[in-house]
Amino acid sequence: MTASLSVLIKKREKTAVLILAVVLSLLIFGNGLGGDFVFDDAAVVKNRGDLKDSSYFLNLFVSPYHQNMPKTGLYRPFTMASYAINHYINSSVNPEQTSAFGFHLVNVLIHAFNSFLVFWLVSYFLKSRYIALSSFLLFLTHPLHTEAVTSIVGRAELLAFLWSILTIYFFVKNYKLLAAVSFLLALWSKETALMVLPILFYLTIYFENKSFWESVRRLLFLAIPTGIYAVFRYITLGQYFFGDATTTIVENQLKFVSFFERTFTALKVLAMYAERLIWPFNLSADYSYQRIAIVGNIFKSPEALSGLILLGGLLWLAIKYRHNDTTKFSLGAGAVLFLFPYLMISNLILPVGTIMGERLMYFPSLGFVVLLAWLLQQLFQSSRFNLGTLKRLNLGIFG
C-alpha cells in the first residue's frame, strides 16, 4: 500500500512538473511566437521547396542540411523532417501564406519537454528532489537559451538534446532497441549528439560501477545506429563526410589561425560562455568576424587564462567526484554533462562552423545548472543550519 502510494505521488509530481514546464515555457518564450523567419531560418526552412512537397519527404534523409550543398558538411534529416511536417500543417491551415508561428510554437513545446526531462534525469541519478527541481527551473528559464528556442534553426539543438536524454534514459533502463533508435534520431537531429557516447561511458563506470571493458561491451550495441548514421551521411555528403569544408573567416576565424592561437582563443570563448551562463546580459545571436579578438599569448589574456582554469577545474571535478552518492556524484555528473557536449563545439579539438554561438550551449548548460543547483542546495542547508543554531541559542539565552 505504501509503495503504491509512493508511485502515485511520483506520477502526480511528474505530471505537475510537465504542466508547469509547458506553462512557463509559453510565458517566457511566448513573445517570440509572432516572430518571422530570420537569419538562417529563411535559407534553411522558409525557402526550401523540398520541405513543402510531401512527395520529397523520404528524400530528406539523403539530403544535406543546406539544399544541394553537401560541401557544408551538415546532415540533419530528422530536424529537416520536422520542418517539413510544420510546412504541411501550415499549408493545410492557410495555403496562401507561410507563417512562422507553428515553427516557433513547436520549438517552445520541445524546450518545455526537454526541461521536464532534465527534472527526470537529475532526480533519477542524483536522488535529490531539491537539485532536480532547481535544475529544472534553472534550465527552463535560463536567458542563454533564447537563441536556441526562439530561432527556428535552433530546433537542431532542441531535438538533439531531447533524443540524447531519451537515449540515456533507455540505456540505463536497458531498453537496447529504444536506446539505439533514439540515439540514431539524436544523430539525425544534429551531429554533436555523438557526445552521448562518452557520457554513457562515464555513467556506466561510475554510476553502474562497471569495469572499463564491461562498460565498453555495454555500449557496443550503439555501434549499429552509429554505423547506420555513417552510411546515410556518406550517401548524402560523399567526399564531405567529415564536414565543414566551407567555413569562412567571417564565420570562424579560428580555422585560419595557428594551433596555439586557436587554442588560446577557444579558451577565451569558454570564459565568455561561462560569463553569460552566470550573468546572462548583453546576449547576441552573432559573434562573427572581429567580434572576438584572436589571442596570441595566453598570459596576456585574463579571459583565456580564466578559460584554462575553468577547463582544468571541470576535469578535476569529473575525475575526483565520481562516486555514487548525491554530494560527490552531483559535482562529477555536472562537470561531465558540461564538458563532453562543450568539447564538441569548443574549437579546441577541431575547428567547427562558428567561433561562438549561444545556441551551442544548450546542452552544456545542463551541466552548469546541475552544478549551480548543487551549490544552492549547500547554501540553503548551511543557512538553515545556521538559523536553527541561532534559534536554539536564543532559546537557551532567553528561555
Side-chain angles (χ1 to χ4, degrees), residues 62-136:
V62 287
S63 298
Y65 184 65
H66 294 102
Q67 190 173 20
N68 300 321
M69 292 181 63
K71 61 183 179 180
T72 63
L74 300 182
Y75 173 64
R76 301 166 186 176
F78 187 84
T79 301
M80 302 309 297
S82 75
Y83 295 144
I85 293 171
N86 262 131
H87 275 301
Y88 304 156
I89 294 173
N90 277 0
S91 63
S92 63
V93 174
N94 188 353
E96 303 300 323
Q97 186 177 2
T98 299
S99 169
F101 176 85
F103 293 89
H104 288 300
L105 179 61
V106 169
N107 275 24
V108 172
L109 294 178
I110 295 173
H111 177 61
F113 189 65
N114 285 347
S115 301
F116 167 75
L117 290 177
V118 167
F119 172 78
W120 172 86
L121 183 79
V122 175
S123 60
Y124 179 84
F125 282 104
L126 303 183
K127 314 301 182 187
S128 169
R129 181 179 279 106
Y130 184 92
I131 295 179
L133 285 170
S134 299
S135 299
F136 158 72

Side-chain angles (χ1 to χ4, degrees), residues 152-348:
I152 295 170
V153 293
R155 188 177 300 180
E157 310 293 339
L158 306 179
L159 288 174
F161 183 96
L162 184 152
W163 292 112
S164 295
I165 297 297
L166 287 176
T167 300
I168 295 172
Y169 170 78
F170 294 136
F171 180 85
V172 297
K173 291 292 186 178
N174 207 29
Y175 302 148
K176 291 186 177 181
L177 178 60
L178 292 175
V181 171
S182 59
F183 183 51
L184 178 60
L185 294 176
L187 292 171
W188 272 349
S189 297
K190 191 175 181 184
E191 302 85 347
T192 52
L194 275 171
M195 53 79 193
V196 171
L197 295 176
I199 290 175
L200 290 177
F201 185 74
Y202 179 90
L203 292 175
T204 304
I205 288 181
Y206 298 123
F207 187 78
E208 297 183 352
N209 297 315
K210 304 290 185 182
S211 69
F212 178 89
W213 291 112
E214 283 178 319
S215 300
V216 171
R217 286 194 291 271
R218 179 105 157 79
L219 286 165
L220 278 178
F221 75 96
L222 291 177
I224 296 173
T226 305
I228 294 172
Y229 169 76
V231 169
F232 273 79
R233 182 177 174 89
Y234 183 77
I235 291 171
T236 303
L237 301 181
Q239 63 180 308
Y240 303 107
F241 178 90
F242 292 103
D244 213 24
T246 60
T247 299
T248 66
I249 195 171
V250 173
E251 297 160 325
N252 189 1
Q253 296 168 263
L254 300 188
K255 188 171 182 178
F256 304 91
V257 299
S258 70
F259 170 81
F260 288 108
E261 287 175 324
R262 172 166 63 84
T263 302
F264 297 157
T265 309
L267 291 170
K268 173 183 175 178
V269 171
L270 173 57
M272 294 172 66
Y273 279 135
E275 178 189 2
R276 282 153 182 77
L277 283 167
I278 297 168
W279 189 252
F281 289 87
N282 300 317
L283 302 179
S284 175
D286 184 18
Y287 291 91
S288 55
Y289 189 58
Q290 292 188 334
R291 282 292 306 275
I292 300 172
I294 300 298
V295 178
N297 186 338
I298 192 171
F299 298 106
K300 292 183 179 180
S301 172
E303 287 178 310
L305 280 172
S306 299
L308 179 62
I309 292 169
L310 177 58
L311 184 63
L314 289 168
L315 287 168
W316 180 77
L317 288 175
I319 294 169
K320 181 175 177 60
Y321 295 102
R322 59 187 188 273
H323 304 290
N324 191 6
D325 66 71
T326 301
T327 299
K328 295 177 179 178
F329 197 66
S330 296
L331 294 171
V336 164
L337 288 170
F338 184 97
L339 269 174
F340 289 128
Y342 163 73
L343 289 174
M344 294 291 294
I345 54 91
S346 66
N347 284 296
L348 286 169

Side-chain angles (χ1 to χ4, degrees), residues 382-397:
S382 175
S383 62
R384 185 172 60 180
F385 172 79
N386 290 335
L387 287 172
T389 303
L390 183 61
K391 185 177 180 180
R392 286 192 296 273
L393 285 172
N394 285 337
L395 287 173
I397 294 171

